[in-house]
Amino acid sequence: MIKKFILTFIIISLFLFNKTSLANEKQKIIENINDIETLKFSFNQISHDKKETGKCFLKRPYFLKCIYEDKNQKQLIVNKNNLIIHHARYNKSYYYPTKTSYFVDILDNKKFEDLILAGSIAQKNNYFEIICLDKNKGEIMFFFDTNNFNLKGWELINLNGNKTTFILYNILKNPEINKKLFQIPSIS
């Protein structure tokens, strides 16, 4: 009887310690993301079994530009409330509302913090995984480095069940980025 009690106590203690430890890790992740005003990074994106690569520039709270290395010279631009996919080769732009994407949440410190706090966290081999669900946007799983708490990427499953994986590398924190970079291209 005493052995069962001790074993139960140890299991409950380990569970509570792990929950407290992961809550502390969430706080460290939040502190790290709140220290970011600008970010420059390279990326790999896998969507519909197609791999794309490129570079992104982020300026909080409203701006993101990703330049894809493809024949269409595709660019993804978030400029406040606009999400634009621009194909420079054809000088065509496609506009989408940002309210149905997670970009606005990632770009805004407070919204990103709220996502992290609301999400469920698990520790994998060399990263933390935080899963968030929004009935209007789908499910997103963020990956954070266990050593420096940097964002390593995310995996999004939208409302149609389509999965997009976005992995960051060559991350440079707080470089000087000119706001003109985020201007919406004019179409002739």
Side-chain angles (χ1 to χ4, degrees), residues 66-77:
C66 296
I67 302 167
Y68 289 74
E69 298 165 347
D70 67 353
K71 65 181 181 180
N72 296 329
Q73 301 167 337
K74 180 168 82 172
Q75 299 174 10
L76 179 143
I77 304 163

Side-chain angles (χ1 to χ4, degrees), residues 144-161:
F144 293 92
D145 189 284
T146 54
N147 295 319
N148 58 20
F149 305 101
N150 283 341
L151 179 64
K152 294 176 69 165
W154 57 83
E155 185 171 275
L156 172 67
I157 301 172
N158 69 13
L159 297 175
N160 297 325

